[in-house]
Amino acid sequence: MRFGTQLRKSVYPPWKDQYIDYDKLKQLLKEGKSDAGSPVDQEEVEWTEEDEGAFVEELVNVQLEKVHDFQARTVQSLRDRLSKLEAELEPLAASNSQEDTQDEEPRTVDDGNRNEGKETQLRGALERLDKISQEIQELEKYSRMNYTGFLKAAKKHDRKRGHDYRVRPLLQVRLAALPFNQEDYSPMLYQLSTMYSFVRQSLEGKDANEPSPNEGQTGGESYKAYKFWVHPENLLEVKTMILRRLPVLVFNPQTSKIADGTQSDPSITSIYFDNPRFSLYTNKVAQEPNPASLRLRWYGQLSQKPEILLEKKIVKPDISEEERFGIKEKYVQPFLNGEYKMEKGVNKLKDRSGEDSSQVKELQKSVDDIRAFLRENELQPVLRANYTRTAFQIPGDDRVRISLDTDLALIREDAIDLERPCRDPEDWHRRDIDENELEYPFSSIRKGEINRFPYAILEIKIKGPKQYEWANDLMNSHLVYPAARFSKFVHGVAQLFEDNVNIFPFWLSALETDIRRDPEQAFKDEQESRAKAAEDELAVGSFIRSRASPLTRSITRSSPVGSPSGISPHYRTLSQRATAEDAHRASIAAKTSVAAKPSGVANIAEEDDSDDDDDDAQAERNTTAMNNTSQGLRSLFPAFSTSKYARSRRAQDKLPPGVEAPDVWIKDQGPLKIEPKVWLANQRTFIKWQHVAVLLASLALGLFNAAGVDDRIARALGVVYTCLAVFAGAWGWGVYTWRSRLIRRRSGRDFDAVLGPCIVCIGLVVALVLNFGFKYRAAVVAREHERERLVSSRNWTMMARHGNDVQV
């Protein structure tokens, strides 16, 4: 199905005028009816600068701002409606608590009338809640479809008209500035859930303070998973921060139990299944009910005969169901073809555990379910994910589990195009990779068949309600970038099968930005996030509890939950209108940029690759722009820096009463340990300065002695060179002592000192120019004197000859 048709079918009628005008964008591309089979060659249509400017204006300014503004207004309207409904339900909660204290008193007619009025109000509130929940669902679909529409339009432009201008890089920057597709609806969903529970329990005559069946015990503690991206520059710091709390687990494939640190660490390979329509991918991205996935997974190289696991996973709202079993390599293709039903494995398990054992029944059920799943969905291998995993966990204690995946490569494994298949259609995997034992970075794979993910993937799983301060500090630090519900399978399909899918995940625009953040700004964002989280917790559960305070209610009604959609001064700055020239610059920058390659990581653990969208992570994106500062005088005088960090330090508030600034920082305590090369580098710089001083002094001395008593210019220049030599020696000594003092104090100040070299260079240039000028002037004067002498001599000769003639 073409995207234009899918967009028209997905339109929510009340909002039909607020969607991206995809047809208009196609008209601006002068596409005409080519999609409907027009024989016109679109490459022959003239494309001018005016056409480019009109398309860029419509796409990244008019359409994007229209969608963003509508999404922001709708989110704010939904919040206001929730707060208003919450305020209306508060008196009912208070009346419920009063009725609980008067249960023993006899009922009157007025009580019956009040109950009828209360029931009417509750049913009206239930209808309003249904309407709000429906609009939240439609708004999420609205954001997703429009986001895909912008990417599709940019791709169509770059393919048809992108010879000189590529609009995709500019669009990614604008999407990062106007992130309408990154709204976090979780706080509103929490409010909806709480109010639904209160209304339904009140209609059923139950105590609203009692937990509902959905809020009861789930039968055991569950994990909360949080996913992040880690920039290669921060990778080592993240690993050392985790190692202070958790040890590294090393998986030994021979024993599966003993951690052998001397063995080389194998990589993990997963092959994901889907059909040519990419139904599984679409269900995951569109967040359809109970999305399922299927993959093959093994450790190390396939030539080492590892155990291959065939895994099926279904994500449900409350829990995820997994079915898996091991299978040998030679049986994989017969199983996928329906010719093998795991008879040997089932019979071995029957001999070992008994024919009627639960393990046999569970294995047989898993085999039957996966075979039916393959047959019903017409699945085939489409994507390979290869990565190296480092796992951190205390042995025997699974309360905190952390995995760090690096060197992630996503490779096409499909045979969808029968004319140019990436994999033999009669085989289940690519033999050019497995037989040649290719490893990261897979340089022999063609460009269009591989995508190397630029960052490492950090996943933190916490079991139970306990909070770990060190884990929270890591998750809120500048070292990681939140990537909730990131999936290797979804990302690989979105990047490698862009022409085959009509929906994309929300995190693609973040790949075009720098995920590194300023540490000070990250700390401020963490404090704001914690404050908002505390307010949200009060807002969700305050109105149905009689212990709620007026302050809590006021916080609840103020809708404190922040989002990228809010109109702020930051948004006003970022939302400057783009032009065709901006598209050209962004295109050039995209062509010349080189993706950073994450460094390798050595260790892995035998742990499930939780690469599905079932995580309960509620991470808020805090994206900060990296502003470039000009050079000039600030490089000469660091104290005059006008950076955001310097301004914040100069404008820092005073310490609170009773708090004193420490005399010695913690980092400056303990014995001083400095590498010898630091001292030697400082000494080498000092020796170089003394070398320059000696050379200048020798030049000055030679020039002064060679000049005669009457050569005042040469003697003056000798004095100038002597002054420069003295300055060079004094500067070298001063800088040497200054830097030594900074090293001993472990100072974080800048060690650059460029004023001295500038003075010496300028002094030498001035002296040389003056020397040349004075010598040139002296030569000119001497030439004039010689000319006058010759003229005078000629005149005397002529006068002498004339006198002799007179005497004769």
Side-chain angles (χ1 to χ4, degrees), residues 295-307:
R295 68 178 175 184
L296 289 164
R297 179 168 62 91
W298 68 87
Y299 294 90
Q301 295 291 344
L302 198 59
S303 59
Q304 300 173 355
K305 305 299 181 182
E307 180 186 13

Side-chain angles (χ1 to χ4, degrees), residues 358-373:
S358 59
Q359 296 179 353
V360 174
K361 295 179 181 179
E362 183 178 354
L363 176 59
Q364 189 63 56
K365 181 179 180 300
S366 298
V367 172
D368 294 340
D369 290 345
I370 292 179
R371 290 182 67 248
F373 187 64

Side-chain angles (χ1 to χ4, degrees), residues 191 339 394 417 435 447 461 529 579 617 628 690 711 773:
Q191 286 181 281
E339 303 169 358
I394 299 176
D417 187 358
E435 290 182 354
K447 183 178 180 181
K461 289 185 175 181
S529 177
T579 62
N628 295 326
Q690 302 311 306
D711 194 349

Side-chain angles (χ1 to χ4, degrees), residues 36 42 57 83 94 98 133 163 172 176 180 235 263 323 338 341 395 407 425 603 628 713 763:
Q42 297 302 319
E57 170 71 17
S83 299
Q98 293 177 2
S133 61
H163 303 293
Q172 297 285 18
F180 69 89
L235 191 58
Q263 181 183 355
E323 295 177 329
K341 303 179 182 179
D407 295 342
N603 301 321
N628 295 326
I713 296 176

Side-chain angles (χ1 to χ4, degrees), residues 443-650:
S443 27
S444 62
I445 303 298
R446 292 189 291 267
K447 183 178 180 181
E449 298 178 2
I450 185 171
N451 177 264
R452 299 173 183 88
F453 193 68
Y455 307 122
I457 302 170
L458 176 69
E459 183 174 17
I460 301 176
K461 289 185 175 181
I462 299 178
K463 187 177 184 180
K466 182 178 179 180
Q467 297 292 325
Y468 298 87
E469 184 177 358
W470 66 271
N472 292 332
D473 292 341
L474 174 61
M475 291 188 289
N476 292 298
S477 69
H478 68 285
L479 302 174
V480 297
Y481 181 84
R485 301 213 313 250
F486 175 80
S487 169
K488 301 181 183 71
F489 167 61
V490 171
H491 184 76
V493 173
Q495 294 282 35
L496 298 175
F497 299 91
E498 190 175 8
D499 294 334
N500 300 79
V501 296
N502 288 328
I503 189 170
F504 297 101
F506 63 86
W507 60 74
L508 291 183
S509 59
L511 292 175
E512 303 295 331
T513 61
D514 191 348
I515 66 172
R516 291 170 294 182
R517 295 188 294 167
D518 177 66
E520 185 176 359
Q521 184 62 37
F523 176 76
K524 294 180 180 178
D525 294 339
E526 176 189 359
Q527 300 303 316
E528 295 177 0
S529 177
R530 290 185 177 182
K532 290 180 179 179
E535 293 176 356
D536 295 343
E537 184 177 358
L538 292 174
V540 169
S542 63
F543 81 97
I544 64 172
R545 299 292 187 262
S546 58
R547 295 185 298 272
S549 63
L551 177 60
T552 300
R553 298 189 181 97
S554 65
I555 293 176
T556 303
R557 285 190 286 267
S558 63
S559 297
V561 183
S563 73
S565 302
I567 305 300
S568 63
H570 181 63
Y571 157 70
R572 295 299 181 189
T573 303
L574 291 176
S575 61
Q576 297 175 354
R577 303 182 71 82
T579 62
E581 184 180 355
D582 297 332
H584 183 55
R585 288 196 297 265
S587 175
I588 296 176
K591 292 179 182 178
T592 57
S593 62
V594 180
K597 170 187 171 297
S599 58
V601 182
N603 301 321
I604 70 167
E606 186 183 21
E607 181 182 352
D608 297 341
D609 179 21
S610 56
D611 190 35
D612 294 290
D613 294 343
D614 59 332
D615 300 338
D616 295 327
Q618 302 299 336
E620 180 177 352
R621 296 176 178 270
N622 295 318
T623 305
T624 56
M626 303 296 293
N627 297 324
N628 295 326
T629 57
S630 60
Q631 300 300 319
L633 290 177
R634 276 175 292 179
S635 61
L636 297 177
F637 307 102
F640 291 97
S641 174
T642 59
S643 65
K644 180 173 64 176
Y645 176 76
R647 292 197 304 268
S648 62
R649 290 297 299 269
R650 287 196 293 267

